[in-house]
Amino acid sequence: MDKDTVIRRELHTGGAGLLVRDTGEGEASGRTIEGYAILFDTPSAPFPTDGDTEVREVIAPEAVSQELLDGSDIKFTLFHDRQLLLARSKGGKGTLRYTRDSKGVRFSFEAPATADGDKAVELVRSGVIDGCSFAFSTRYYDRDHVRREVTEEDGRKVVTFRVMRMTGLYDMTLTPDPAYPATSVNTRDLLSGFPDEAPPRDLTAYHREMRAEARRRL
């Protein structure tokens, strides 16, 4: 795969800590929805695979800069449906507010006075919706954008793609449950297209020791 190939990704954020901020006047009348749309250093749900390899994805803190957030046109929707638009930030301005901290990207917005806004408030307040997803793009086969770590756990190969840099951030959405990550290419293509697969960590250490021993014998 060409390292300049841009792949669009969609990833679920578990543990988003969604809530509706109430007014504090004894009634649950608030309409501000807030939580984390992106969590840093948190493994995703496993990608669907055909074999025994487990594949996950992690977003590094440096992947989402303030410049990326402020320069993006981010639409906040319900159920991944862009017709169910709840908030928006375009060029850092709009009804969608966000802050970047050590945990991730936290958002808040005032639910609009529409049927979709009313539905979002009720579903989040009741706990029916407790997660978010976000869509982004990156150059998956460029090591400056994505790094791959291969380890072995309990005899099982585990591949972790660590996103170091995004090329675009497009939308965030309220969603009721963790879905498998969606991608514009399937997992097999991601695995086969990534350059120079590293061996599991324990074998890497073993080979390093063997090379060191060979140098000592010279």
Side-chain angles (χ1 to χ4, degrees), residues 138-199:
T138 187
R139 292 186 172 90
Y140 232 87
Y141 308 109
D142 185 338
R143 289 188 185 88
D144 290 335
H145 288 73
V146 180
R147 297 176 185 173
R148 182 168 70 170
E149 180 185 46
V150 183
T151 59
E152 189 172 304
E153 298 178 10
D154 300 323
R156 182 181 175 85
K157 182 180 178 181
V158 179
V159 179
T160 301
F161 290 102
R162 185 173 179 85
V163 178
M164 307 299 296
R165 185 184 303 174
M166 295 181 184
T167 59
L169 180 61
Y170 306 106
D171 61 55
M172 302 171 181
T173 192
L174 298 174
T175 184
D177 51 26
Y180 281 119
T183 179
S184 58
V185 297
N186 63 39
T187 306
R188 184 181 305 166
D189 289 337
L190 290 179
L191 289 171
S192 63
F194 205 90
D196 299 331
E197 177 179 345

Side-chain angles (χ1 to χ4, degrees), residues 70-105:
D70 293 343
S72 297
D73 183 0
I74 307 171
K75 300 173 180 67
F76 206 109
T77 65
L78 186 61
F79 306 136
H80 300 278
D81 189 338
R82 287 207 167 191
Q83 295 187 47
L84 307 181
L85 187 61
L86 300 174
R88 184 179 183 182
S89 173
K90 186 175 183 179
K93 298 179 180 179
T95 55
L96 175 62
R97 301 178 296 276
Y98 50 79
T99 56
R100 183 185 179 282
D101 57 29
S102 60
K103 183 176 179 179
V105 177

Side-chain angles (χ1 to χ4, degrees), residues 47-53 187-188:
F47 289 30
T49 59
D50 297 330
D52 295 330
T53 301
T187 306
R188 184 181 305 166

